[in-house]
């Protein structure tokens, strides 16, 4: 038998995922401006009160997948060996998750990218990724055991550069017709950026 707490946590995770998936589906089908939190709750077959228990806005519901993936990435980064250089640790932790993360459907990725250009989503994304950059830098710093201002600065620069590399690789994959596979492109971009950190 499942412990009550374990069952409760799984139910909460399932409800959160259902709301996220409904929000994304409706936004892709109808455009973000035509989606309400009530419609998202109804599409997920959950109460409107349940929606407000998990998310403050439809933007939060749509971007919840990003939040979950970034939390997983931070956990994987924390688990890397402390002796591993920071850039290598960032790459290894990301590589451990790419099978679960990457959507091979270019058409869906392109549609999601267009959706993410909505002003209200851009503002929320900026906050989410800014927080992740700071958290990732904190993990890099904790792994190194260093605390000098220069060390803090170096950790922030590496975290920011790595995220920029991810963004560039995704843009190349979506925008350039001769780029058919994301992972080789991502590896090339991170190789180029990494020369300054390894």
């Amino acid at each position: 038998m499942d412990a009550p707490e374990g069952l409760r946590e799984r139910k909460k995770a399932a409800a959160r995922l259902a709301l996220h998936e409904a929000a994304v589906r409706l936004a892709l089908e109808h455009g973000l401006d035509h989606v309400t939190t009530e419609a998202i709750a109804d599409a997920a077959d959950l109460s409107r009160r349940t929606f407000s228990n998990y998310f403050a806005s439809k933007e939060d519901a749509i971007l919840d997948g990003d939040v979950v993936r970034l939390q997983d990435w931070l956990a994987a980064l924390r688990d890397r060996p402390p002796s591993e250089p920071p850039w290598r640790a960032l790459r290894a932790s990301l590589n451990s998750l790419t099978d679960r993360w990457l959507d091979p459907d270019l058409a869906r990725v392109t549609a999601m990218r267009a959706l993410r250009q909505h002003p209200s989503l851009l503002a929320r994304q900026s906050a989410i990724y800014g927080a992740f950059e700071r958290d990732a830098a904190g993990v890099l710093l904790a792994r190194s055991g260093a605390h000098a201002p220069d060390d803090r600065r170096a950790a922030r620069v590496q975290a920011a550069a790595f995220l920029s590399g991810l963004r560039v690789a995704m843009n190349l994959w979506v925008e350039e017709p001769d780029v058919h596979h994301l992972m080789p492109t991502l590896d090339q971009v991170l190789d180029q950026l990494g020369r300054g950190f390894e």
Side-chain angles (χ1 to χ4, degrees):
M1 294 286 290
D2 286 321
E5 285 215 2
L7 181 60
R8 192 162 38 247
E9 288 306 309
R10 282 203 303 282
K11 284 185 173 180
K12 286 167 69 175
R16 188 180 190 101
L17 179 62
L19 289 166
H20 162 66
E21 289 178 342
V24 170
R25 185 176 68 252
L26 291 174
L28 289 174
E29 288 173 1
H30 306 291
L32 184 62
D33 290 331
H34 302 289
V35 175
T36 64
T37 58
E38 293 82 8
I40 294 168
D42 291 348
D45 201 23
L46 293 166
S47 72
R48 295 164 187 193
R49 182 178 178 185
T50 298
F51 180 96
S52 63
N53 287 340
Y54 290 100
F55 302 113
S57 67
K58 60 187 177 183
E59 288 82 5
D60 283 346
I62 288 168
L63 294 173
D64 192 56
D66 290 38
V67 172
V68 170
R69 285 188 291 272
L70 293 174
Q71 288 171 346
D72 288 347
W73 187 6
L74 276 179
L77 182 59
R78 286 188 190 98
D79 288 342
R80 298 305 303 169
S83 59
E84 193 171 45
W87 192 263
R88 215 170 299 162
L90 284 164
R91 288 191 74 166
S93 57
L94 177 67
N95 288 342
S96 72
L97 299 169
T98 50
D99 287 345
R100 287 187 290 152
W101 272 25
L102 297 179
D103 189 339
D105 184 349
L106 181 57
R108 180 179 162 81
V109 171
T110 303
M112 280 299 295
R113 187 171 179 273
L115 174 62
R116 287 166 179 272
Q117 299 309 303
H118 191 283
S120 64
L121 283 176
L122 283 172
R124 192 70 192 102
Q125 282 177 89
S126 179
I128 289 168
Y129 282 87
F132 174 77
E133 181 187 305
R134 289 187 296 276
D135 290 344
V139 172
L140 293 177
L141 206 56
R143 290 173 77 256
S144 72
H147 299 289
D150 284 350
D151 297 316
R152 287 196 296 274
R153 198 171 302 118
R156 282 295 293 271
V157 168
Q158 288 197 49
F162 200 91
L163 283 175
S164 293
L166 286 181
R167 188 178 67 251
V168 167
M170 287 294 293
N171 289 346
L172 289 171
W173 185 48
V174 171
E175 295 170 2
E176 298 190 6
D178 58 331
V179 176
H180 301 294
H181 301 288
L182 175 58
M183 286 312 297
T185 304
L186 179 57
D187 285 338
Q188 289 169 3
V189 170
L190 294 178
D191 283 347
Q192 289 177 320
L193 278 173
R195 289 180 196 131
F197 297 109
E198 291 185 335

